[in-house]
Amino acid sequence: MIRSPGTPDRPHGGGVHVSTAWAEAPYPVLVTDCVGDVVETNEAASHLFAQAGEDVFVGSLPDWLAQAHRRPTPAVGPPESASGTVAGRTFEAHPSPGEDGCVVWWLVENTDLHLAQQALQGERERTTILADISSALFSSLNVERCTEVTVRMAADHLANAAVVVAPAQGRRHSLTYTQVGGEVAHKTAAIDPRAVPGLTEALQGFPPVPTRWIDPGDIPDWAVPPGFTGPIGSVIVTPLPGYGMPAGVLILLRSSTHQAFSDGEEVFARLFAARAGAALSAARLYAEQASITTTLLRELLPPKLERLHGVEYAGIYRAAKDHERVGGDFYDVHPGTGDSKETFVVLGDVAGKGLEAAVLTGKIRSVLHALLPLSGDHKHVLTLLNDALMNSHHTRFATLVLASVQRRQGEVRIRLTSAGHLPPLIVRTDGRVEEAATSGTLIGALPEIHAQSTEVVLAPGETCLLYTDGITEARGGPLGDQLYGEERLRTALRECVRMPAEAVVERVQMLASQWLGGREHDDMATLAITTPLGGGGTPHLVGEHDDSRPHDREQ
């Protein structure tokens, strides 16, 4: 027990002193008088404050305990306890009133509890951060945006600056930089990964090297964000794990003015990198699949049509589902090598809809393209196509209309052959709508086919319309249970006299869509062949394929 100098053996009033029991108490005990001066302590308190480098004498109470001592004693209930630190340890101080205004303070250590609470709070904060990070990273399947989010959140939550090194493309790497409060910068450069310890291994997906193995002074300039000031004090190099292969590497930089990365922060950085790597890998996989899909769709989409060899061609295709771009209906126009050569036109309908039907339409179009040298003989072309489909693993069948078009002396002659398809309709300048006298069996169902061809002549301003049953079988009307039908189609075509080919197909598709009233429908395709009024223009076919949405207008 230590007494304050100049204090009597017993405090004034003779009411409070440290008894033998207090002296042997396992807790530090301080006795203060009414003004807050320490008058007595036990050995545990003396030892504690000696470790803190403090003398527990008059006026030497820690600030947090002195403030607690100055609080008024509540009229009802026990005095309030206080908490604070001494010698780097945390304590709860519980007061016991004594005589003459003295207070006995019992200091109960709760350092372990405090550390546990801090650790729990830290884990909660990290969990919240990881949840926010995951939400932000997976909110986009764009590779560039995902990379920018990665470096920005890494700089904000983990370090002073961050760099993402993407896998090599040839001999060059894509680098994305940022620092706290700065802009994101991109650069593609030929770098030497060996200049950063652990980077070569991390790019191959190996575990990160410990931070203590990396000398911050050896970090090359290309690994530091532009504008980053001050010497580097600590570095983390960790891979961004992906699906089957690394998605890149994350480099975290902390300036020398900040605390070095701790072991816990290094572990947290790996957790962050795991989520970022998964998001980046998913974005790259999506980008690759989107590129493949775009390439394949380019071959499945119908061509973009305009005037060719003095004849107008226009087509519109609308898939059964608005979010789909391809389906079972298709058309193609294969121009002849000159005005004297026939242009080969085909419009078809494969049983079914969606991607599976589109795959078969792609095969049919490829076969027909290969048979172009034989396009002068429609029956022979259909026979060879039927043989190809009969030997295919597909069980679907198709209907087709073939047309060979040639302009002669201001008129357009068309040879038409139907293979199980709806006969084309001819719109005359006097308002008559005629049905082409052609018929035949469908393709891909029977070993042998039969087809009857016919020839029609279009005067200036007249149109031949090829269409699929998605138009006539569009179900709608006032009650939604009536087919659009051929008669309504004929009526619509009577209003298209002398119209350009583009206007004809637009009007037919518009009226059919209005009849549907937003209801479900089959694929719908229309193709118009028109002899322009006043003669033909410069022959040309613009573009190979139309990359617009399937229900958009084909120019």
Side-chain angles (χ1 to χ4, degrees), residues 28 30 43-56 60-64 84-91 107:
L30 303 175
E43 291 184 4
S46 300
H47 181 69
L48 172 64
F49 282 90
Q51 289 179 336
E54 301 177 7
D55 293 326
V56 193
S60 61
L61 281 177
D63 290 340
W64 60 273
T85 60
V86 178
R89 296 151 62 185
T90 60
F91 292 87
L107 275 60

Side-chain angles (χ1 to χ4, degrees), residues 508-525:
V508 170
Q509 288 275 2
M510 179 190 70
L511 293 175
S513 298
Q514 290 176 347
W515 183 258
L516 284 167
R519 300 177 183 89
E520 293 185 357
H521 59 89
D522 198 358
D523 298 329
M524 298 190 295

